[in-house]
Amino acid sequence: MVKKKYKFDRRSFLKLSAATGGGLMLGFNWSSCNSPQDVRPVKVMPKEWYDINAFLKIGDNGLVTIFSPNPEIGQNVKTSMPMIIAEELDVSWEDVVVEQAGLNDWFSRQVAGGSQSIRHGWKSLRMAGATAKRMLVNAAAKEWEIDPSECSVSEGVISNGKGDKLTFGAVAKAASTMDVPKEEDVVLKEAKDYKIIGTDRSNVDIDNIITGKPLFGIDTKREGMLYATVLRPPAFGQKLKSVDDSEALKVAGVKGVYKINLPLRQGPDRTVDKVAVVATSTWAAMKGKKALKAVWQEDTPLENTTNHKADLTRLVNSTAKKSVRKDGDPNKAFAEADEVIEKVFESPFLPHNCMEPMNFFAHVQADKVELVGPVQTPAWSRDRVVKMLGWIDEFDPEDKEAKKAAEEKAYAKVDLKMTRMGGGFGRRLFGDFVMDATQISKVAGAPIQLIWSREDDMAGGTYRPAIHYKLRAAIKDKKITGYHLIEAAVNDNMWASLAQSFPASAIANYQVDNHKIESNITTGAWRAPYTNFLASAEQCFLDEVAQKIGKDPIEMRLELLAEAKKVYDQHAKLEEEIKDEEKLKVAKKGLMPKGNYEPDRFIAAIKMARDKSGWNNKASGSHLGFSAYYSHNTYVAQVAHVTMVDDKPKVDKVTCVVDCGLVINPLAATNLIQGGVIDGIGHAMFGDFGFENGQPSMDNFNQYRLIRMPEAPQIEVHYVNNGKSPTGLGEPTLPPAGAAIANAFHSATGERLYRQPYVKESKVLG
Amino acid sequence: MATYTLNINGKSQTIEADSDTPLLWVLRDTVGLVGTKYGCGIAQCGACTIHVDGEAMRSCSLPISAIGEKSITTIEGLSADASHPLQEAWRQHDVPQCGYCQAGQIMNAAALLKNNANPSDEDIDSAMRGNICRCGTYNRIKAAIKTAAKI
Ligand code: FES
Ligand code: FES
């Protein structure tokens, strides 16, 4: 992704203000706050708003509207990102209303993915608030005819030190015409002065959610809007031979039936046929779809889970041409080992199952398109839409400026509004549903709301691919002298950065290899891609290795991290000694490379989990399992607490320690952490999905088992709280959870688990 | 198409619909009450939970022709001003993540509390097991139900 620097000049934001017009429709529910018993403050609308920059505008009464730039999928950025802006603006949170920004190139990275919103936004959001504050101060100083440095600000009030005060509302108009201060003139707060960051703040949409207000994509309504459903091939690898729509067209309310063809996630040239039914209500569209008589034929070979398994098994046992990472001499370490421990771990495909099924509103007109709905990658979708509509003028591929001009011209025709999303988990990174909706609106010549049924959603996924991992450890003198990880995956292999995860850099002879098979089943990112199962495999394996060499699993990890620290120290020493970059590079060639993690932070999180969980003095009858993983820039260590109930192990509690640096909003952070752990446990226990003759094995919740309340343990959350720059929480607490419970089950029953879902493999759980 | 007169949130409404139309789509598409959500369409997830004569029902699996005179309450009509004890408790615990399942969770919990003013953990588990929360907010849902029971 190209990194773009935020600008705070007026021209850029004016462009944005126009695009985000439409007032506070989705931002705040004014009416629900007026009840007599209600002690929540009533917010009074200003008579006039003044745009200060792209992120905020201020009313003449001091009320502030903050535009939240990134898509909200339940990770709570719609509250936490504005909190960061409000902090630096120095306004009372009670005087803030939040509105979701639309897609606008002024913002950088309007994406919900990779747990990166807060980490990427940390500097720019603070700058947005602080720059605006400086403009307000400059306006007040001008009025008082003093130097801005003589002013101070607290909660929306500017003082001049002589007893005079001006509110933000009073100077908003003047500030809106001020020059934007230079970046070096903008001073950010020190952490000790934070009043909003680090405090519990309710979800800005809480009132709307608990009263059922329209918030989600599926709630979109427009004048003259029709409803659309799609019939998709029952199996991956099929194409449409023919369709008889005569019965469908007889269904009351059905307006039209259209064949469409759309790109698939894998392969630039692969497409899928669908049949769209457009009607006056969702139910009529669904009935019309049922009445279609479609004949499908094989296009590419239909695949089976049994074949995938056989292929993946063959691949984890074969030699890779080139390793992703190789340190020392692993072959020698294994040849000289006293003992080699070798285990294979297997995971199935997984659908995302967002509670809100895929849907989108589209209204294509001759020279513009309105798009509204839930998508994690709005810019990507816009790009696909304009290409699909043929709106990009031809340009010389060599000429970058011409390309940019052509794109900008096409993008100007697109108005894309993001709604709150009923979950994302990576499924809405691929906007195939946006393309569906666009195509259908175009051919039907009407504004349409596309809705996929749950069955379409589950059977038309971009699945977490089935992956097998083989893990090998060479043991000599009760120490791990060699480590070998082999991956065999469907369609895509782990990112190279994941080969740098712990225990990389902690073991002298270390190797990571991978293999893949190509499949016509579409796969993609699923919450914590790759690590969602890699962590389970590795953390279960380390537990077993510790047991085999007679070590406490936590102590063994701490010893390994101490080894990694030595490597990091060698790097630090060289950096201290050699200042010439080229020479340093050469000197470092003699060292083992560093991993993607900081050993000190990892050690601190693990020790905290050990201490908070009572690892060393557990209650009798309580069985513990440990797991720790670093991913998405956040450190997580977990202890699962299991008791035996009616001869079955039951997870009562998970102690979860998190180092995500500074915690922006603990109230929401804890919620997200608890959810991530529960999600990790649920999918490790129950998540099962496969294919027979290309056809998904399940398509609704009567077959597909998601974790439900009785199975969800209590999640006890602790923060390391070291004040480092904040990182994200959407994903990193999920990966370690599967191994935490599996290791606790082993403590309780002696059974080791290698295959997910555990209910299927385990004799006692199932 | 047939004509039905439904009592929704205390208001009488006349609706034209096919007799097999699930109440869920009548509410969402015809009446314009979109707080009730679609999740599975087969009574497995609880997202579409409403009250029919005070009892929790899955509106996705309830044809309009089966309602008759019975009174329907949706999340929009649970209280006039978001002051139902569960709504207060939901606010206090900041329960939602994505929020999509929450209307169904609240409606199901409201029916539970009506029948059992002081539910135990096990009571809550068994009453709420039909409501999926993909985001995993179960800890807070449970805590909020207990708080609401005390309000
Ligand atoms: S939509 Fe009715 S129970 Fe799922
Ligand atoms: S809050 Fe997202 S499904 Fe429950």
Side-chain angles (χ1 to χ4, degrees), chain A residues 203 207 210 212 218-219 221 282-283 287 352-353 355 420 453-454 667 671 675 679 700 707-708 713 715, chain B residues 18 20 28-29 35 37-40 44 87 91 94-98 100 129 134-135 138-140:
Chain A
N203 189 319
D207 286 324
I210 62 177
I218 200 174
D219 303 337
K221 304 278 176 205
T282 313
W283 184 242
K287 273 174 82 172
H352 295 81
N353 286 331
M355 278 313 284
R420 197 177 177 85
S453 67
R454 173 57 59 194
L667 183 66
N671 202 1
D679 194 13
N700 210 326
I707 192 166
R708 290 167 185 267
I715 313 299
Chain B
D18 272 346
D20 62 351
R28 291 187 55 86
D29 294 352
K37 293 294 190 263
Y38 166 69
C40 68
Q44 293 290 320
Q87 289 167 318
R91 212 178 274 125
D94 204 43
V95 175
Q97 283 184 39
C98 80
Y100 193 79
R129 78 160 298 135
R134 176 67 182 82
C135 300
Y138 298 121
N139 283 187
R140 286 200 178 173

Side-chain angles (χ1 to χ4, degrees), chain B residues 24 37-48 58 60:
Chain B
L24 169 67
K37 293 294 190 263
Y38 166 69
C40 68
I42 56 164
Q44 293 290 320
C45 76
C48 65
R58 306 296 189 230
C60 69

Side-chain angles (χ1 to χ4, degrees), chain A residues 453-644:
Chain A
S453 67
R454 173 57 59 194
E455 289 81 1
D456 298 327
D457 188 286
M458 210 182 288
T462 53
Y463 306 100
R464 191 278 298 270
I467 299 185
H468 291 192
Y469 289 109
K470 181 169 172 179
L471 282 148
R472 303 170 68 221
I475 309 295
K476 182 130 186 112
D477 301 329
K478 299 213 169 288
K479 278 202 155 44
I480 310 173
T481 51
Y483 187 91
H484 189 187
L485 164 68
I486 305 130
E487 175 186 69
V490 178
N491 286 336
D492 285 304
N493 285 116
M494 65 163 107
W495 302 311
S497 66
L498 294 179
Q500 324 305 324
S501 300
F502 178 79
S505 313
I507 297 166
N509 305 296
Y510 175 90
Q511 184 174 344
V512 177
D513 295 335
N514 49 31
H515 309 268
K516 68 172 174 180
I517 52 173
E518 300 288 347
S519 166
N520 61 9
I521 291 158
T522 43
T523 56
W526 190 102
R527 196 176 196 177
Y530 304 105
T531 59
N532 55 42
F533 183 64
L534 176 59
S536 279
E538 288 200 302
Q539 294 298 309
C540 284
F541 184 67
L542 287 178
D543 201 72
E544 187 164 355
V545 169
Q547 185 203 1
K548 288 246 164 90
I549 61 178
K551 278 203 175 131
D552 175 85
I554 292 186
E555 284 311 312
M556 188 185 84
R557 284 170 176 89
L558 292 173
E559 282 172 22
L560 286 169
L561 283 161
E563 289 300 316
K565 203 168 149 38
K566 286 184 201 159
V567 173
Y568 283 57
D569 288 346
Q570 289 163 358
H571 280 261
K573 195 158 162 266
L574 280 188
E575 281 156 20
E576 184 75 18
E577 285 167 9
I578 307 171
K579 295 294 168 204
D580 182 276
E581 282 210 14
E582 278 309 308
K583 282 185 190 148
L584 180 65
K585 237 189 186 167
V586 175
K588 277 193 172 183
K589 286 222 167 106
L591 299 181
M592 186 195 291
K594 292 204 277 187
N596 62 2
Y597 59 96
E598 289 298 328
D600 284 334
R601 289 181 74 171
F602 216 165
I603 289 168
I606 290 174
K607 285 187 173 167
M608 192 171 180
R610 177 191 65 193
D611 300 342
K612 294 285 183 193
S613 66
W615 180 262
N616 287 328
N617 53 13
K618 62 183 172 70
S620 75
S622 174
H623 308 278
L624 306 184
F626 179 79
S627 176
Y629 208 76
Y630 166 80
S631 66
H632 305 274
N633 313 96
T634 295
Y635 300 80
V636 180
Q638 295 171 353
V639 173
H641 305 247
V642 160
T643 49
M644 293 300 286

Side-chain angles (χ1 to χ4, degrees), chain A residues 98-218:
Chain A
V98 174
E99 214 180 305
Q100 175 71 58
L103 171 62
N104 194 292
D105 292 322
W106 198 90
F107 296 110
S108 75
R109 202 184 184 280
Q110 282 186 291
V111 170
S115 304
Q116 295 300 315
S117 296
I118 292 295
R119 181 165 167 265
H120 276 269
W122 177 231
K123 172 92 193 287
S124 54
L125 296 170
R126 285 182 299 156
M127 282 301 291
T131 305
K133 176 165 87 174
R134 184 62 204 239
M135 287 163 76
L136 292 156
V137 165
N138 287 353
K142 196 172 167 196
E143 180 154 343
W144 285 323
E145 295 177 349
I146 57 171
D147 191 83
S149 65
E150 290 171 53
C151 300
S152 63
V153 181
S154 179
E155 304 209 326
V157 181
I158 306 162
S159 310
N160 64 3
K162 298 184 201 109
D164 302 321
K165 289 184 193 311
L166 278 169
T167 62
F168 280 3
V171 293
K173 184 176 180 187
S176 70
T177 61
M178 304 245 47
D179 284 338
V180 177
K182 287 201 217 68
E183 201 170 325
E184 52 273 24
D185 291 338
V186 176
V187 187
L188 295 177
K189 280 185 179 178
E190 283 181 50
K192 66 173 173 44
D193 298 323
Y194 288 159
K195 292 176 189 158
I196 297 172
I197 291 175
T199 62
D200 287 343
R201 303 289 166 166
S202 301
N203 189 319
V204 293
D205 279 334
I206 184 76
D207 286 324
N208 291 331
I209 292 169
I210 62 177
T211 54
K213 294 287 182 308
L215 278 175
F216 299 91
I218 200 174

